[in-house]
Short mmCIF file of all heavy atoms in Angstrom, two decimals:
data_model
loop_
_atom_site.label_atom_id
_atom_site.label_comp_id
_atom_site.label_asym_id
_atom_site.label_seq_id
_atom_site.Cartn_x
_atom_site.Cartn_y
_atom_site.Cartn_z
N MET A 275 0.83 -1.18 0.00
CA MET A 275 0.00 0.00 0.00
C MET A 275 0.88 1.24 0.00
O MET A 275 1.93 1.28 0.62
CB MET A 275 -0.96 -0.07 1.17
CG MET A 275 -0.67 0.80 2.38
SD MET A 275 -2.03 0.64 3.55
CE MET A 275 -1.13 0.57 5.08
N ALA A 276 0.44 2.26 -0.70
CA ALA A 276 1.26 3.46 -0.87
C ALA A 276 0.77 4.58 0.04
O ALA A 276 -0.42 4.71 0.31
CB ALA A 276 1.19 3.91 -2.32
N TYR A 277 1.70 5.36 0.48
CA TYR A 277 1.39 6.53 1.29
C TYR A 277 1.65 7.77 0.44
O TYR A 277 2.67 7.86 -0.23
CB TYR A 277 2.29 6.58 2.53
CG TYR A 277 1.91 5.58 3.58
CD1 TYR A 277 2.21 4.24 3.42
CD2 TYR A 277 1.24 5.99 4.73
CE1 TYR A 277 1.86 3.31 4.39
CE2 TYR A 277 0.88 5.06 5.70
CZ TYR A 277 1.20 3.73 5.54
OH TYR A 277 0.84 2.83 6.49
N ARG A 278 0.71 8.70 0.51
CA ARG A 278 0.88 9.93 -0.25
C ARG A 278 0.73 11.14 0.64
O ARG A 278 -0.08 11.16 1.56
CB ARG A 278 -0.19 10.04 -1.35
CG ARG A 278 0.09 9.15 -2.53
CD ARG A 278 -0.90 9.47 -3.62
NE ARG A 278 -0.82 8.51 -4.71
CZ ARG A 278 -1.54 8.57 -5.82
NH1 ARG A 278 -2.41 9.55 -5.97
NH2 ARG A 278 -1.41 7.67 -6.76
N LYS A 279 1.50 12.17 0.28
CA LYS A 279 1.48 13.42 1.02
C LYS A 279 1.56 14.54 0.00
O LYS A 279 2.33 14.47 -0.94
CB LYS A 279 2.68 13.42 1.95
CG LYS A 279 3.14 14.72 2.49
CD LYS A 279 4.27 14.48 3.48
CE LYS A 279 5.63 14.90 2.95
NZ LYS A 279 5.68 16.29 2.51
N ARG A 280 0.72 15.53 0.17
CA ARG A 280 0.77 16.67 -0.73
C ARG A 280 2.04 17.47 -0.45
O ARG A 280 2.43 17.62 0.71
CB ARG A 280 -0.46 17.56 -0.53
CG ARG A 280 -0.83 18.33 -1.76
CD ARG A 280 -2.10 19.15 -1.52
NE ARG A 280 -3.30 18.31 -1.42
CZ ARG A 280 -3.98 17.87 -2.47
NH1 ARG A 280 -3.61 18.19 -3.68
NH2 ARG A 280 -5.05 17.13 -2.30
N LYS A 281 2.69 17.95 -1.49
CA LYS A 281 3.92 18.72 -1.29
C LYS A 281 3.64 19.96 -0.47
O LYS A 281 2.64 20.64 -0.68
CB LYS A 281 4.53 19.09 -2.64
CG LYS A 281 5.22 17.89 -3.25
CD LYS A 281 5.97 18.24 -4.53
CE LYS A 281 6.60 16.98 -5.10
NZ LYS A 281 6.89 17.11 -6.52
N GLY A 282 4.52 20.22 0.49
CA GLY A 282 4.34 21.37 1.36
C GLY A 282 3.48 21.09 2.57
O GLY A 282 3.34 21.91 3.46
N LYS A 283 2.85 19.86 2.61
CA LYS A 283 2.04 19.47 3.76
C LYS A 283 2.76 18.37 4.52
O LYS A 283 3.72 17.78 4.02
CB LYS A 283 0.66 18.96 3.31
CG LYS A 283 -0.14 19.96 2.54
CD LYS A 283 -0.91 20.86 3.48
CE LYS A 283 -1.76 21.83 2.66
NZ LYS A 283 -2.62 22.65 3.48
N ASP A 284 2.26 18.07 5.69
CA ASP A 284 2.96 17.13 6.54
C ASP A 284 2.11 15.90 6.88
O ASP A 284 2.46 15.12 7.75
CB ASP A 284 3.33 17.86 7.84
CG ASP A 284 4.63 17.36 8.42
OD1 ASP A 284 5.45 16.85 7.65
OD2 ASP A 284 4.81 17.47 9.64
N THR A 285 0.99 15.75 6.20
CA THR A 285 0.06 14.68 6.54
C THR A 285 0.04 13.60 5.48
O THR A 285 -0.18 13.88 4.30
CB THR A 285 -1.38 15.26 6.69
OG1 THR A 285 -1.32 16.38 7.56
CG2 THR A 285 -2.33 14.22 7.24
N TRP A 286 0.25 12.36 5.92
CA TRP A 286 0.28 11.23 4.99
C TRP A 286 -1.08 10.55 4.92
O TRP A 286 -1.74 10.33 5.93
CB TRP A 286 1.31 10.20 5.46
CG TRP A 286 2.72 10.68 5.30
CD1 TRP A 286 3.48 11.29 6.26
CD2 TRP A 286 3.53 10.61 4.11
NE1 TRP A 286 4.72 11.60 5.73
CE2 TRP A 286 4.78 11.19 4.44
CE3 TRP A 286 3.32 10.10 2.82
CZ2 TRP A 286 5.81 11.28 3.50
CZ3 TRP A 286 4.34 10.20 1.90
CH2 TRP A 286 5.58 10.78 2.23
N HIS A 287 -1.46 10.18 3.69
CA HIS A 287 -2.74 9.48 3.44
C HIS A 287 -2.44 8.14 2.82
O HIS A 287 -1.49 7.99 2.08
CB HIS A 287 -3.60 10.29 2.47
CG HIS A 287 -3.85 11.69 2.94
ND1 HIS A 287 -4.95 12.03 3.67
CD2 HIS A 287 -3.13 12.81 2.78
CE1 HIS A 287 -4.88 13.33 3.96
NE2 HIS A 287 -3.79 13.83 3.43
N TRP A 288 -3.28 7.16 3.12
CA TRP A 288 -3.11 5.85 2.50
C TRP A 288 -4.44 5.25 2.05
O TRP A 288 -4.47 4.17 1.48
CB TRP A 288 -2.36 4.89 3.43
CG TRP A 288 -3.07 4.63 4.73
CD1 TRP A 288 -3.86 3.54 5.00
CD2 TRP A 288 -3.05 5.42 5.91
NE1 TRP A 288 -4.33 3.64 6.29
CE2 TRP A 288 -3.85 4.78 6.86
CE3 TRP A 288 -2.43 6.64 6.24
CZ2 TRP A 288 -4.05 5.31 8.14
CZ3 TRP A 288 -2.65 7.16 7.52
CH2 TRP A 288 -3.44 6.51 8.45
N CYS A 289 -5.55 5.95 2.27
CA CYS A 289 -6.85 5.49 1.77
C CYS A 289 -7.17 6.28 0.51
O CYS A 289 -7.22 7.51 0.54
CB CYS A 289 -7.96 5.76 2.78
SG CYS A 289 -7.69 4.94 4.36
N ARG A 290 -7.40 5.56 -0.59
CA ARG A 290 -7.70 6.27 -1.83
C ARG A 290 -9.04 6.97 -1.79
O ARG A 290 -9.33 7.86 -2.58
CB ARG A 290 -7.62 5.31 -3.02
CG ARG A 290 -6.20 5.24 -3.58
CD ARG A 290 -6.11 4.25 -4.70
NE ARG A 290 -6.08 2.89 -4.16
CZ ARG A 290 -6.38 1.81 -4.85
NH1 ARG A 290 -6.75 1.91 -6.09
NH2 ARG A 290 -6.31 0.64 -4.29
N ASN A 291 -9.90 6.53 -0.86
CA ASN A 291 -11.21 7.18 -0.75
C ASN A 291 -11.22 8.27 0.32
O ASN A 291 -12.28 8.77 0.68
CB ASN A 291 -12.31 6.15 -0.50
CG ASN A 291 -12.07 5.31 0.75
OD1 ASN A 291 -10.94 5.16 1.21
ND2 ASN A 291 -13.12 4.76 1.30
N CYS A 292 -10.06 8.64 0.81
CA CYS A 292 -9.99 9.78 1.73
C CYS A 292 -10.34 11.06 0.96
O CYS A 292 -9.92 11.22 -0.19
CB CYS A 292 -8.58 9.89 2.31
SG CYS A 292 -8.35 11.33 3.36
N SER A 293 -11.08 11.97 1.61
CA SER A 293 -11.47 13.19 0.90
C SER A 293 -10.27 14.09 0.63
O SER A 293 -10.33 15.00 -0.18
CB SER A 293 -12.55 13.94 1.68
OG SER A 293 -12.09 14.26 2.97
N ASN A 294 -9.17 13.82 1.32
CA ASN A 294 -7.96 14.61 1.11
C ASN A 294 -6.87 13.86 0.36
O ASN A 294 -5.71 14.28 0.36
CB ASN A 294 -7.42 15.08 2.46
CG ASN A 294 -8.35 16.06 3.13
OD1 ASN A 294 -8.74 17.07 2.55
ND2 ASN A 294 -8.76 15.74 4.34
N TRP A 295 -7.20 12.72 -0.24
CA TRP A 295 -6.22 11.92 -0.98
C TRP A 295 -5.60 12.77 -2.10
O TRP A 295 -6.33 13.27 -2.97
CB TRP A 295 -6.93 10.69 -1.56
CG TRP A 295 -6.07 9.80 -2.41
CD1 TRP A 295 -6.17 9.65 -3.76
CD2 TRP A 295 -5.01 8.92 -1.99
NE1 TRP A 295 -5.24 8.73 -4.19
CE2 TRP A 295 -4.52 8.27 -3.13
CE3 TRP A 295 -4.43 8.63 -0.74
CZ2 TRP A 295 -3.47 7.34 -3.07
CZ3 TRP A 295 -3.40 7.71 -0.69
CH2 TRP A 295 -2.93 7.07 -1.85
N PRO A 296 -4.30 12.95 -2.08
CA PRO A 296 -3.67 13.81 -3.10
C PRO A 296 -3.65 13.12 -4.47
O PRO A 296 -3.26 11.96 -4.58
CB PRO A 296 -2.24 13.98 -2.58
CG PRO A 296 -2.24 13.48 -1.16
CD PRO A 296 -3.31 12.46 -1.10
N THR A 297 -4.08 13.83 -5.48
CA THR A 297 -4.06 13.28 -6.84
C THR A 297 -3.08 14.02 -7.74
O THR A 297 -2.80 13.58 -8.84
CB THR A 297 -5.46 13.33 -7.48
OG1 THR A 297 -5.94 14.65 -7.39
CG2 THR A 297 -6.42 12.38 -6.78
N SER A 298 -2.56 15.13 -7.26
CA SER A 298 -1.53 15.83 -8.02
C SER A 298 -0.60 16.54 -7.06
O SER A 298 -1.00 16.84 -5.93
CB SER A 298 -2.16 16.83 -8.98
OG SER A 298 -2.84 17.82 -8.26
N ASP A 299 0.62 16.77 -7.49
CA ASP A 299 1.59 17.48 -6.68
C ASP A 299 1.81 16.80 -5.33
O ASP A 299 1.69 17.42 -4.28
CB ASP A 299 1.11 18.93 -6.48
CG ASP A 299 2.28 19.87 -6.22
OD1 ASP A 299 3.39 19.54 -6.68
OD2 ASP A 299 2.08 20.90 -5.56
N TYR A 300 2.09 15.51 -5.37
CA TYR A 300 2.29 14.78 -4.12
C TYR A 300 3.59 13.99 -4.15
O TYR A 300 4.22 13.81 -5.19
CB TYR A 300 1.12 13.80 -3.89
CG TYR A 300 0.94 12.79 -4.99
CD1 TYR A 300 1.71 11.62 -5.00
CD2 TYR A 300 0.03 13.00 -6.00
CE1 TYR A 300 1.55 10.69 -6.01
CE2 TYR A 300 -0.13 12.08 -7.02
CZ TYR A 300 0.63 10.93 -7.01
OH TYR A 300 0.49 10.02 -8.01
N GLU A 301 3.96 13.54 -2.95
CA GLU A 301 5.09 12.63 -2.77
C GLU A 301 4.51 11.28 -2.42
O GLU A 301 3.51 11.21 -1.70
CB GLU A 301 5.87 13.11 -1.54
CG GLU A 301 7.28 13.56 -1.77
CD GLU A 301 7.86 14.03 -0.45
OE1 GLU A 301 8.27 13.20 0.35
OE2 GLU A 301 7.85 15.26 -0.24
N GLU A 302 5.13 10.21 -2.90
CA GLU A 302 4.59 8.89 -2.60
C GLU A 302 5.68 8.00 -2.00
O GLU A 302 6.82 8.03 -2.45
CB GLU A 302 4.02 8.24 -3.85
CG GLU A 302 3.22 6.98 -3.55
CD GLU A 302 2.42 6.51 -4.75
OE1 GLU A 302 2.99 5.79 -5.59
OE2 GLU A 302 1.24 6.87 -4.86
N LYS A 303 5.28 7.22 -0.97
CA LYS A 303 6.20 6.26 -0.38
C LYS A 303 5.53 4.89 -0.36
O LYS A 303 4.33 4.79 -0.14
CB LYS A 303 6.52 6.66 1.06
CG LYS A 303 7.38 7.89 1.18
CD LYS A 303 8.49 7.65 2.19
CE LYS A 303 9.21 8.88 2.65
NZ LYS A 303 9.89 9.67 1.71
N PRO A 304 6.31 3.83 -0.59
CA PRO A 304 5.73 2.48 -0.65
C PRO A 304 5.45 1.89 0.73
O PRO A 304 4.74 0.89 0.83
CB PRO A 304 6.80 1.66 -1.38
CG PRO A 304 8.07 2.40 -1.14
CD PRO A 304 7.72 3.84 -0.96
N SER A 305 5.99 2.49 1.78
CA SER A 305 5.72 1.94 3.12
C SER A 305 5.50 3.08 4.10
O SER A 305 5.66 4.25 3.76
CB SER A 305 6.89 1.07 3.58
OG SER A 305 8.07 1.85 3.59
N LYS A 306 5.14 2.73 5.33
CA LYS A 306 4.78 3.73 6.32
C LYS A 306 5.93 4.71 6.54
O LYS A 306 7.03 4.29 6.90
CB LYS A 306 4.42 3.03 7.62
CG LYS A 306 3.74 3.92 8.60
CD LYS A 306 3.24 3.14 9.81
CE LYS A 306 2.51 4.07 10.76
NZ LYS A 306 1.98 3.36 11.91
N PRO A 307 5.69 6.00 6.35
CA PRO A 307 6.76 6.99 6.50
C PRO A 307 7.15 7.14 7.97
O PRO A 307 6.31 7.04 8.86
CB PRO A 307 6.12 8.28 5.99
CG PRO A 307 4.87 7.87 5.31
CD PRO A 307 4.43 6.60 5.94
N ALA A 308 8.43 7.35 8.20
CA ALA A 308 8.94 7.48 9.57
C ALA A 308 8.67 8.88 10.12
O ALA A 308 8.62 9.07 11.32
CB ALA A 308 10.42 7.19 9.60
N GLN A 309 8.46 9.83 9.21
CA GLN A 309 8.24 11.20 9.65
C GLN A 309 6.93 11.73 9.12
O GLN A 309 6.42 11.24 8.14
CB GLN A 309 9.37 12.10 9.15
CG GLN A 309 10.71 11.72 9.77
CD GLN A 309 11.77 12.77 9.50
OE1 GLN A 309 11.81 13.33 8.42
NE2 GLN A 309 12.61 13.04 10.48
N GLY A 310 6.42 12.74 9.81
CA GLY A 310 5.19 13.36 9.36
C GLY A 310 4.00 12.85 10.14
O GLY A 310 4.10 11.94 10.96
N GLU A 311 2.83 13.43 9.85
CA GLU A 311 1.60 13.10 10.54
C GLU A 311 0.80 12.11 9.74
O GLU A 311 0.89 12.08 8.51
CB GLU A 311 0.74 14.37 10.68
CG GLU A 311 1.45 15.55 11.24
CD GLU A 311 1.16 15.73 12.71
OE1 GLU A 311 -0.01 15.55 13.08
OE2 GLU A 311 2.09 16.02 13.48
N LEU A 312 -0.01 11.31 10.43
CA LEU A 312 -0.92 10.42 9.72
C LEU A 312 -2.30 11.06 9.71
O LEU A 312 -2.73 11.65 10.70
CB LEU A 312 -0.97 9.05 10.42
CG LEU A 312 0.35 8.27 10.40
CD1 LEU A 312 0.21 6.99 11.20
CD2 LEU A 312 0.79 7.96 8.98
N CYS A 313 -2.96 10.94 8.58
CA CYS A 313 -4.27 11.57 8.41
C CYS A 313 -5.32 10.95 9.34
O CYS A 313 -5.45 9.73 9.42
CB CYS A 313 -4.69 11.39 6.96
SG CYS A 313 -6.39 11.84 6.63
N ASN A 314 -6.06 11.81 10.03
CA ASN A 314 -7.09 11.32 10.94
C ASN A 314 -8.23 10.64 10.21
O ASN A 314 -8.81 9.68 10.71
CB ASN A 314 -7.67 12.49 11.75
CG ASN A 314 -6.75 12.88 12.88
OD1 ASN A 314 -6.06 12.04 13.45
ND2 ASN A 314 -6.74 14.15 13.22
N GLU A 315 -8.55 11.14 9.03
CA GLU A 315 -9.64 10.53 8.26
C GLU A 315 -9.23 9.13 7.81
O GLU A 315 -10.03 8.19 7.88
CB GLU A 315 -10.00 11.42 7.07
CG GLU A 315 -11.24 10.92 6.35
CD GLU A 315 -11.69 11.85 5.23
OE1 GLU A 315 -11.39 13.05 5.28
OE2 GLU A 315 -12.33 11.34 4.29
N CYS A 316 -7.99 9.00 7.34
CA CYS A 316 -7.51 7.68 6.94
C CYS A 316 -7.50 6.71 8.13
O CYS A 316 -7.89 5.56 8.00
CB CYS A 316 -6.11 7.78 6.35
SG CYS A 316 -6.06 8.60 4.74
N LEU A 317 -7.10 7.22 9.30
CA LEU A 317 -7.08 6.39 10.49
C LEU A 317 -8.48 5.88 10.83
O LEU A 317 -8.66 4.70 11.13
CB LEU A 317 -6.53 7.19 11.68
CG LEU A 317 -5.02 7.31 11.82
CD1 LEU A 317 -4.69 8.29 12.94
CD2 LEU A 317 -4.39 5.96 12.09
N SER A 318 -9.46 6.78 10.78
CA SER A 318 -10.80 6.36 11.17
C SER A 318 -11.41 5.45 10.11
O SER A 318 -12.15 4.52 10.45
CB SER A 318 -11.70 7.55 11.48
OG SER A 318 -11.85 8.37 10.37
N LYS A 319 -11.09 5.67 8.85
CA LYS A 319 -11.56 4.75 7.79
C LYS A 319 -10.96 3.37 8.01
O LYS A 319 -11.63 2.36 7.85
CB LYS A 319 -11.17 5.26 6.41
CG LYS A 319 -12.06 6.37 5.89
CD LYS A 319 -11.70 6.67 4.46
CE LYS A 319 -12.37 7.90 3.91
NZ LYS A 319 -13.81 7.94 4.14
N ASP A 320 -9.69 3.35 8.37
CA ASP A 320 -9.01 2.08 8.61
C ASP A 320 -9.70 1.33 9.74
O ASP A 320 -9.98 0.14 9.65
CB ASP A 320 -7.55 2.36 8.97
CG ASP A 320 -6.58 1.47 8.23
OD1 ASP A 320 -7.05 0.58 7.50
OD2 ASP A 320 -5.37 1.66 8.39
N LYS A 321 -10.01 2.04 10.82
CA LYS A 321 -10.66 1.42 11.98
C LYS A 321 -12.05 0.93 11.62
O LYS A 321 -12.48 -0.12 12.09
CB LYS A 321 -10.77 2.43 13.13
CG LYS A 321 -9.50 2.50 13.94
CD LYS A 321 -9.73 3.31 15.22
CE LYS A 321 -8.39 3.66 15.86
NZ LYS A 321 -8.45 4.93 16.60
N ALA A 322 -12.74 1.71 10.79
CA ALA A 322 -14.11 1.33 10.42
C ALA A 322 -14.13 0.26 9.32
O ALA A 322 -15.19 -0.28 9.00
CB ALA A 322 -14.87 2.57 9.96
N GLY A 323 -12.97 0.00 8.73
CA GLY A 323 -12.90 -1.00 7.67
C GLY A 323 -13.39 -0.48 6.33
O GLY A 323 -13.73 -1.26 5.44
N THR A 324 -13.41 0.85 6.15
CA THR A 324 -13.90 1.41 4.90
C THR A 324 -12.78 2.07 4.09
O THR A 324 -13.04 2.82 3.16
CB THR A 324 -14.99 2.47 5.17
OG1 THR A 324 -14.47 3.47 6.03
CG2 THR A 324 -16.21 1.85 5.80
N CYS A 325 -11.54 1.78 4.47
CA CYS A 325 -10.40 2.37 3.78
C CYS A 325 -10.10 1.60 2.49
O CYS A 325 -9.83 0.40 2.55
CB CYS A 325 -9.20 2.33 4.73
SG CYS A 325 -7.67 2.93 4.00
N THR A 326 -10.15 2.29 1.36
CA THR A 326 -9.80 1.69 0.07
C THR A 326 -8.31 1.86 -0.19
O THR A 326 -7.86 3.00 -0.36
CB THR A 326 -10.60 2.35 -1.07
OG1 THR A 326 -11.98 2.29 -0.75
CG2 THR A 326 -10.35 1.64 -2.38
N LYS A 327 -7.59 0.74 -0.16
CA LYS A 327 -6.13 0.84 -0.34
C LYS A 327 -5.71 0.46 -1.73
O LYS A 327 -6.43 -0.20 -2.44
CB LYS A 327 -5.43 -0.03 0.68
CG LYS A 327 -5.56 0.53 2.07
CD LYS A 327 -5.11 -0.46 3.14
CE LYS A 327 -5.47 0.06 4.51
NZ LYS A 327 -5.26 -0.94 5.55
ZN1 ZN B 109 -6.41 10.83 4.51
#
């Protein structure tokens, strides 16, 4: 699963159905980033089982 972060921001997303999922001007990492914040929406989608990876 890929992690994406919009350039200039510090929040990583990993759910493609997150309302803040970056589709342009982003950085992508193949595994959990060691630095930066994790998106709260992605976290709650993950917990609810509605995260599209
Ligand atoms: Zn997110």
